[in-house]
Amino acid sequence: IINSLFFLSYYFWLNLIRMNVAYLQLGSNIGDRLKELSSAVNCIKDEIGNVLSVSKIYQSTPWRVEGQENYLNQIIKIETNLSSNELLKGVLLIENNLGRIRIEKWGERLIDIDIIFYNDDIIETIDLCIPHKHMHERNFVLVPLNELAPLYVHPKYKRTVNQLLNETKDNEQVILYDV
């Protein structure tokens, strides 16, 4: 019995130690945008892990696209025991369950969930790129991310989020959304 208790205790603590921290970017530019962001946060809480912090909501013009409605964007910091690939599958499933239909690259979207950071990992595969490969070029990611983690160091570029925001050449407007 003592050995069994030790094993269960060890397994419990091992799982606690294995918690991963990720930053996710949420965006919506069609439908009830606020409701979509809120629904995404709730689904992430229910299906992926603990939401540790949530940025304010920002409105932005579509990035490098004309003729679309403005986006509402938000960054959340989560804690999860999912691997990076499991996290990707989880956010894609949530997008699908919330009604996202992928028609064109950078097209309008009911909900978009991107993995910005996953621990300090650098992952570059066909299916997954972490840190997100365009995050350092996008004010709509950097502004809310800077609110939550200005001193977080990008594992590939070795620059803080605040430095990336100050150095970006993106001129798209990102403003605080009055909720």
Side-chain angles (χ1 to χ4, degrees):
I1 290 179
I2 293 175
N3 284 342
S4 295
L5 289 175
F6 174 78
F7 177 77
L8 289 175
S9 177
Y10 176 76
Y11 184 76
F12 173 78
W13 287 108
L14 187 61
N15 278 338
L16 283 180
I17 293 170
R18 281 200 228 173
M19 292 302 278
N20 301 296
V21 174
Y23 288 87
L24 307 178
Q25 188 271 334
L26 313 177
S28 175
N29 77 330
I30 55 177
D32 185 341
R33 301 173 302 163
L34 281 175
K35 179 180 169 271
E36 295 304 327
L37 294 180
S38 177
S39 295
V41 170
N42 288 332
C43 288
I44 289 164
K45 284 179 189 174
D46 292 342
E47 300 169 30
I48 291 182
N50 299 321
V51 175
L52 301 176
S53 54
V54 179
S55 77
K56 295 174 183 146
I57 296 173
Y58 293 85
Q59 183 166 271
S60 65
T61 54
W63 192 69
R64 296 184 180 172
V65 178
E66 300 291 327
Q68 291 184 11
E69 296 296 321
N70 287 342
Y71 277 84
L72 291 186
N73 298 290
Q74 185 173 46
I75 294 282
I76 64 173
K77 178 182 180 182
I78 67 164
E79 179 179 67
T80 182
N81 60 4
L82 299 179
S83 71
S84 56
N85 285 314
E86 292 168 332
L87 178 58
L88 176 62
K89 289 176 187 170
V91 297
L92 292 174
L93 183 61
I94 290 170
E95 287 179 343
N96 186 57
N97 290 344
L98 292 176
R100 175 162 181 192
I101 300 170
R102 294 174 187 270
I103 298 171
E104 63 181 290
K105 185 176 179 111
W106 294 334
E108 294 181 311
R109 38 205 77 184
L110 201 55
I111 190 66
D112 183 39
I113 306 171
D114 289 331
I115 304 169
I116 303 302
F117 293 126
Y118 180 87
N119 298 322
D120 291 324
D121 294 2
I122 298 173
I123 303 167
E124 295 175 348
T125 68
I126 293 171
D127 297 323
L128 184 59
C129 185
I130 297 174
H132 189 284
K133 64 183 173 183
H134 294 295
M135 60 85 51
H136 65 286
E137 303 171 326
R138 296 175 171 176
N139 283 340
F140 72 85
V141 174
L142 291 170
V143 169
L145 184 58
N146 190 59
E147 177 187 325
L148 294 186
L151 300 178
Y152 190 94
V153 177
H154 190 294
K156 186 172 182 179
Y157 298 125
K158 306 300 184 204
R159 312 288 288 160
T160 67
V161 169
N162 189 261
Q163 288 171 319
L164 293 171
L165 176 60
N166 289 327
E167 296 167 359
T168 185
K169 293 174 179 40
D170 186 8
N171 59 6
E172 299 291 337
Q173 187 177 20
V174 176
I175 58 172
L176 190 59
Y177 187 72
D178 189 20
V179 181

